[in-house]
Structure formats: structure tokens, C-alpha cells
Amino acid sequence: MRRSVRDGRRTPGLRRVAVLVPAAGLLAALVSCTSQPDPLTTPCGVVVDGSGSGAATAKGFDAEAKLKNSLMPFLEEQQCGTVEFAPITRSSKSSSCQVAEVDLDPPGSETTDQESARAASRGVAGKKALEELECARTQNGSDVWGALDRISEMMPGDGPDAKLLVVSDFDQADKEFRISRSDLSTARKRETVIDTLVEQRGLPGLKGMHVYPVGLGMQYNGRPSESEDFEAFWAQMLEGRAQAHVHYDYR
């Protein structure tokens, strides 16, 4: 059968449509690839323990190793948008150790690879955290209470939105108070110790915040009864008195 002239004229048009369809699909794919992720808005804090018990020894809990293992998963999984740092030293609240806040969701343009930018910012946060730890180790001491107070003052008003990673064995031991000398064997006795510290130093403003301890009670390895009383003390203080939410995801 012979084709008419009209049949022959249809072919180029059909070909043009066939070419345009995949081109439109490619454009849609490009638009999809360049769309930016949702902003990161969670305010986060990191407390690092510079005391001697955090040294990499048989009796220590190795603060540096714990920090390196937990920090990146914490920042990424908790969708941290910013991160502040505080040290645990002999006098944490007045310690000269200080590093700048890191923006973990830096601004960019429509063509910015935001995930790569965020990963780079988390790398900067890792370096800052190690700087804070290095400085804290020059001042030694273990004022955990003061460090919690300091980080809460650095994040005023963040409340339920805030996430805190605390890399420490939580052994409160400064010149004025050593928790190891306290009787923590019952809830009432633990409450008395908490009352004393609140009267002397005030209560850290952790209400509603989410606290993630890393290394809590590790100095009591092999002494389960002491470890249980010690951890019960901090649970009573953080959850009961300060009204924070404690999680052990990175323990």
C-alpha cells in the first residue's frame, strides 16, 4: 500500500513529541535533585569531661574515644542545627575553656549540595569538641554539676527542643564536694544529697531538655551495687529534680 503525502507529514511531528517526552522527564529529575532538604532546627549541646578519670587507662572511661564514637551519630540522628560546647573541669562554670558555637545547617543557594555542607560542618564540630576536651584536661577536676549549669545557661529558652550529649562518668569531684563520700543507698538519702547541692549551687536549667549520657558510672566497673546507687542518684537529679528526659542511645 502506498502512503499518502498526509501520512508522511505526520512522522516528523511524532518524532518531535517522542524527543520532548524524555527531555521533560529529565528536567523534572533535575528539579527533584536540586530541591533542598528541610532545615535543621534542633539546638544541641555537648559537654566533655576533662577529669583524670576520662583518661585512656584501665580505670578510666576514655573520654576522647567515647566522644569520637558518639558525637557524629548524635549530631546527625538528632538533626542538630547548632551545637554549643561546655567543659567539665575543677570549676566548670567559670572555666576559661571555650569554643565557638557551630552552625550545622549553613545557608546556601539553590545549587548548594546541602548534605555535603552539613557533613563538613559536623566535621568542624568534631574538631571543636576535641579542642574543648584538650583545654579541659589542662584544668582537670570534675565539676559535672557546674558543667550542666553552664550548658543550660548557654541555651536559654530552648527547653524541650534541646538535645544534650554529656560525655562523662558523672563523678562529681571538686574541692567543695565529692559524690563518692556521700551515702546514695536509698532514694531519701540521694534526695538529701541533691538538696545540699541545689542549696549550694542552684539547679541547672535542664527542664524539658533531652540528655544523652555517655560513660555514666563507668568508674564503678565490677561494683554493680555502687553503680546502681550512683546511676539512681543522677536519674533522680536529672529526671526527678531538674525534669529533663534522659536517654541512653549512645551509652
Side-chain angles (χ1 to χ4, degrees):
M1 179 184 295
R2 294 174 59 190
R3 288 189 306 172
S4 69
V5 174
R6 291 183 64 184
D7 290 337
R9 287 176 181 173
R10 288 175 186 168
T11 305
L14 290 172
R15 287 176 180 170
R16 282 196 294 271
V17 172
V19 171
L20 288 173
V21 169
L26 178 61
L27 180 61
L30 289 172
V31 171
S32 176
C33 288
T34 56
S35 63
Q36 295 299 320
D38 292 336
L40 301 176
T41 59
T42 304
C44 293
V46 176
V47 177
V48 292
D49 193 340
S51 68
S53 63
T57 64
K59 293 184 178 180
F61 72 99
D62 198 344
E64 184 173 339
K66 287 287 187 184
L67 177 62
K68 288 179 177 178
N69 289 337
S70 61
L71 180 59
M72 293 304 150
F74 168 76
L75 295 178
E76 189 167 3
E77 292 169 8
Q78 302 308 319
Q79 299 186 329
C80 297
T82 57
V83 59
E84 298 270 12
F85 304 91
I88 294 175
T89 67
R90 61 178 173 265
S91 183
S92 301
K93 198 166 181 183
S94 60
S95 170
S96 59
C97 295
Q98 184 175 0
V99 296
E101 177 191 72
V102 178
D103 183 353
L104 298 173
D105 195 15
S109 66
E110 292 181 357
T111 59
T112 299
D113 185 342
Q114 196 65 16
E115 292 301 342
S116 294
R118 289 173 176 179
S121 294
R122 289 193 294 269
V124 172
K127 292 178 181 178
K128 293 292 185 183
L130 289 173
E131 286 177 19
E132 187 82 319
L133 177 61
E134 184 178 354
C135 180
R137 283 177 165 171
T138 67
Q139 299 181 3
N140 216 323
S142 189
D143 178 19
V144 181
W145 196 279
L148 294 174
D149 197 16
R150 176 168 167 168
I151 197 71
S152 68
E153 288 186 354
M154 294 170 73
M155 305 171 71
D158 290 326
D161 297 324
K163 307 287 182 71
L164 304 180
L165 184 74
V166 185
V167 183
S168 173
D169 59 5
F170 281 74
D171 186 15
Q172 178 74 32
D174 57 63
K175 291 183 178 180
E176 297 177 343
F177 180 84
R178 296 186 68 89
I179 197 170
S180 59
R181 297 172 181 169
S182 303
D183 186 348
L184 306 177
S185 58
T186 68
R188 178 170 292 184
K189 290 177 179 179
R190 292 191 290 269
E191 197 68 21
T192 298
V193 176
I194 293 170
D195 286 341
T196 300
L197 283 165
V198 171
E199 288 173 8
Q200 292 176 350
R201 308 179 183 201
L203 181 66
L206 303 174
K207 185 176 181 179
M209 292 187 179
H210 295 264
V211 181
Y212 296 80
V214 178
L216 174 63
M218 287 190 69
Q219 72 274 33
Y220 292 107
N221 185 30
R223 292 176 286 168
S225 60
E226 291 181 70
S227 176
E228 288 174 7
D229 291 342
F230 182 82
E231 292 186 31
F233 167 81
W234 281 108
Q236 208 164 316
M237 180 272 169
L238 293 169
E239 297 180 317
R241 187 64 66 91
Q243 298 181 44
H245 307 286
V246 180
H247 312 272
Y248 297 98
D249 301 45
Y250 309 100
R251 187 169 185 171

